[in-house]
Amino acid sequence: MSIFVKALIRTDPAKASVVIVKLSEFLRYQLYENSEEKTLLTSEIDFLSNFLNLEKIRRDNFSFDIQVNIDHRIISSTFIPPNLFTTFVENAVKHSVDLSGRESCVKIEININNRQLYFKCVNSISTGYLPSDKKSGGLGLANITRRLELLYNDTFDLKIESDDTEYSVNLKIPV
């Protein structure tokens, strides 16, 4: 990232300034919020937004959308473990890259209903991309699944699906 910022300072100082602000917010969250047992849901969403905004600056053919359908009072008073969604979003960004240069995207939806938080993350996939099956998936998915088991025992529901154009993660946790 430092090489990217250095190059940006020379070619587009205004964009470099935005990147530096986003990076500082990103690091602030990692240093302060991440060390706590729980963080506000709104902080987690801001972190994801900063992460995706940095990726959008880095990649020309990338778009994202975060839809949060939760009353402001609820989102500002709901606590979750920090970085609970980060692995899913990092994977979505990594696997959304289209090698042919076509537009790629990540869509996130977060809802709370009946004391259950619903997180959905969908990313486009490149034509011909073959994601690994769930059982032999990457270490990140194995680690987050284990973390969910430790945090929520059998009260969470995680479903991962893919087809020719999309990869989606659906997570339900109690709040």
Side-chain angles (χ1 to χ4, degrees):
M1 184 58 85
S2 65
I3 294 170
F4 173 70
V5 173
K6 195 181 290 186
L8 212 56
I9 289 170
R10 291 189 185 111
T11 59
D12 192 341
K15 195 182 263 188
S17 178
V18 170
V19 168
I20 290 169
V21 168
K22 293 290 179 200
L23 277 173
S24 72
E25 293 169 358
F26 188 82
L27 291 173
R28 186 177 303 112
Y29 180 83
Q30 288 294 332
L31 289 171
Y32 301 113
E33 303 272 342
N34 200 19
S35 64
E36 300 297 322
E37 187 177 317
K38 298 269 185 168
T39 189
L40 281 170
L41 178 57
T42 188
S43 296
E44 186 82 357
I45 293 167
D46 289 345
F47 173 78
L48 296 176
S49 180
N50 285 331
F51 176 74
L52 291 167
N53 272 307
L54 283 170
E55 188 63 22
K56 181 151 181 57
I57 291 168
R58 197 174 72 81
R59 283 173 37 198
D60 291 332
N61 295 331
F62 177 76
S63 64
F64 73 91
D65 182 39
I66 300 176
Q67 292 184 3
V68 181
N69 302 313
I70 306 169
D71 181 84
H72 179 71
R73 290 175 305 208
I74 295 172
I75 197 171
S76 298
S77 62
T78 300
F79 287 87
I80 63 169
N83 287 316
L84 192 61
F85 310 132
T86 304
T87 300
F88 302 122
V89 176
E90 286 174 345
N91 280 347
V93 167
K94 179 173 74 173
H95 295 296
S96 72
V97 173
D98 191 301
L99 302 176
S100 68
R102 287 187 302 232
E103 181 80 14
S104 59
C105 65
V106 172
K107 297 175 189 164
I108 296 172
E109 293 176 30
I110 300 173
N111 299 297
I112 294 179
N113 190 6
N114 294 328
R115 304 198 46 81
Q116 297 289 314
L117 185 144
Y118 297 86
F119 170 82
K120 181 176 185 174
C121 182
V122 178
N123 63 277
S124 58
I125 55 177
S126 190
T127 306
Y129 174 75
L130 298 171
S132 59
D133 64 55
K134 290 176 235 173
K135 289 182 177 61
S136 64
L139 186 58
L141 288 177
N143 287 341
I144 190 64
T145 301
R146 181 65 181 136
R147 184 174 178 214
L148 288 165
E149 290 168 351
L150 292 170
L151 289 167
Y152 299 106
N153 295 312
D154 60 354
T155 62
F156 77 96
D157 185 33
L158 176 63
K159 289 187 174 56
I160 299 173
E161 303 170 325
S162 65
D163 61 29
D164 292 341
T165 60
E166 294 185 332
Y167 184 86
S168 70
V169 171
N170 288 284
L171 173 64
K172 180 176 80 170
I173 58 170
V175 289

